[in-house]
Amino acid sequence: MSILPPFLRIDRENRRVSLDARNPAFYGNPNAVYAALHAHCPTFYWEEQKQWFLTGYDHVNALLRDRRFGRQILHIASREELGLPEPEPQLANFDLAERFSLLELEPPEHTRLRTLVNRAFVSRHIERLRPEIAAMAEKLIDGFEQAGETELLSSFADIIPVTMIARMIGIPDEMGPQLLAWSHDYVGMYMFKRTPADELAADRAAQEFADYVKGLIAERRREPQDDLLSHMIHTEHKGQFLTDEELVSTTIVLLNAGHEATVHQIGNSVRVILESGLDPADLFRDASATERTVEETLRICAPVHIFQRWALEDVEVDGVSFKRGDKVSLILAAANLAPAKFTDPLTFKPDRQEAPNLSFGAGIHFCIGAPLARLELNTVLPMLFQRLPGMRIAAPPVVKDVYHFHGLDRLDLSW
């Protein structure tokens, strides 16, 4: 029987778990906690979060696809009926920006919005971006190769994903730093460490972000370009066009989802590869090996750990009864470590031929940007290791002090 870390308490009989998500020992190495949860209590009530969580692969995979659960609840019931509090006035701008987010909607609204943007993200269209991604990566590596060292997040990982998604939408490259700043503040709303200061920053970022996008929409209405925003503005679906509010929400979610997780994953992937002791020349020897390596990094160090669902009707899962309006959390990163699906799950093994990872979700909310993220990772990771042979970690990696995203603040490398 494994010994639990001192910051984790598990009441196995009652399926109750006590865990401080802000404890550095947890967010610095969540995989160790997930392994303990799999061993003792894979479905559990997290007392600090006041919510049920599932980590089992089959349960998480099934619930992501189960139409008895949804990303929203107020389309079928009122706040009063469900006993939910009224919206908080200090989050008015954030709530407005989120109102038509692809991540938060259910059909038919979700279907209409996703149909309008999905074409730009299918693999055959995304593949055309490979030379552009490669050229950007080459230029960035040129900038630090001779120095023999770099901090990878600021010099490389932060730049490529935000630049690519901004170009797709039709936003100038020079807006990259501002987009990063808005995005970092905005996604603070999704973190377990959320404070009043985080909420204030997120609401302010939402307002400034939305105002910028509204100005861009006005420009594209006057002068359409060959970009995704113009496509969304001028394309109809069953006789309907997107409203300005829908355009703002969709643009913000595409920008955030289109880069934030990929930034984390570039850093996570480089770290896990270097710490594995495996030969990068072998890991990236050809396109198939590269793809397997990328998928294994996504499995073992996913950038986004949790997605939540509302129970849209009374339903029982793994012996737990949920009432309509209950919220349940699915820990995707833990499902990726389920010992029932993956042998030696805490070990980095790119030659696995087991279950697919769930890092991009599943079902109708499967990550729309997955083809872009995979293309970026499959393009830039081999280039880093090929251009910088002998690359090694120069100082202990600094993990971001947030949960449920998982990424690095610093990754100092030398070669």
Side-chain angles (χ1 to χ4, degrees), residues 80-93:
E80 185 179 35
E81 181 183 350
L82 298 170
L84 297 177
E86 289 300 311
E88 300 177 59
Q90 76 273 19
L91 295 176
N93 293 300

Side-chain angles (χ1 to χ4, degrees), residues 85-325:
E86 289 300 311
E88 300 177 59
Q90 76 273 19
L91 295 176
N93 293 300
F94 180 85
D95 288 343
L96 185 60
E98 286 285 280
R99 185 177 175 189
F100 296 104
S101 166
L102 275 169
L103 294 177
E104 305 298 334
L105 294 178
E106 288 297 299
E109 289 81 4
H110 175 269
T111 307
R112 181 170 66 93
L113 283 171
R114 182 141 181 159
T115 299
L116 280 170
V117 299
N118 197 53
R119 182 175 174 273
F121 288 93
V122 295
S123 297
R124 66 180 179 277
H125 289 292
I126 291 296
E127 179 61 33
R128 300 172 188 169
L129 300 175
R130 187 184 293 271
E132 191 175 348
I133 296 168
M136 194 186 316
E138 295 278 15
K139 184 177 179 180
L140 291 172
I141 296 171
D142 287 344
F144 54 71
E145 181 181 20
Q146 296 306 313
E149 62 181 13
T150 194
E151 192 292 295
L152 191 71
L153 277 300
S154 58
S155 68
F156 191 81
D158 271 345
I159 299 168
I160 293 174
V162 72
T163 303
M164 289 308 304
I165 190 63
R167 286 179 182 177
M168 286 180 68
I169 290 170
I171 297 174
D173 287 2
E174 57 266 26
M175 280 298 294
Q178 180 61 74
L179 294 174
L180 282 172
W182 282 332
S183 181
H184 291 335
D185 285 344
Y186 193 96
V187 300
M189 283 293 293
Y190 306 133
M191 305 308 177
F192 282 28
K193 68 156 191 138
R194 198 171 98 194
T195 65
D198 293 326
E199 293 182 351
L200 182 66
D203 197 68
R204 183 171 57 244
Q207 182 176 19
E208 294 173 2
F209 213 160
D211 287 345
Y212 174 75
V213 172
K214 287 174 187 173
L216 208 59
I217 291 168
E219 290 179 16
R220 292 300 188 274
R221 286 199 192 283
R222 292 192 302 268
E223 296 181 32
Q225 305 289 325
D226 183 19
D227 56 38
L228 182 53
L229 183 57
S230 297
H231 166 78
M232 290 192 297
I233 291 170
H234 297 282
T235 303
E236 62 178 282
H237 177 67
K238 296 183 178 179
Q240 289 184 300
F241 292 90
L242 295 184
T243 66
D244 279 10
E245 290 80 8
E246 290 171 332
L247 287 165
V248 168
S249 289
T250 304
T251 302
I252 288 176
V253 76
L254 290 176
L255 279 164
N256 287 342
H259 83 274
E260 190 85 27
T262 312
V263 169
H264 295 335
Q265 194 58 29
I266 292 172
N268 292 348
S269 297
V270 171
R271 177 190 183 181
V272 76
I273 289 167
L274 291 175
E275 290 181 344
S276 74
L278 299 177
D279 182 5
D282 183 52
L283 297 180
F284 299 112
R285 64 186 178 274
D286 55 35
S288 294
T290 295
E291 184 177 344
R292 288 194 297 272
T293 297
V294 166
E295 291 305 306
E296 177 67 352
T297 67
L298 284 163
R299 183 195 70 84
I300 202 168
C301 54
V304 180
H305 282 209
I306 290 173
F307 269 102
Q308 296 182 323
R309 292 290 188 269
W310 293 96
L312 303 182
E313 60 185 74
D314 295 353
V315 60
E316 182 177 309
V317 179
D318 195 21
V320 180
S321 296
F322 295 101
K323 299 293 185 185
R324 185 173 81 149

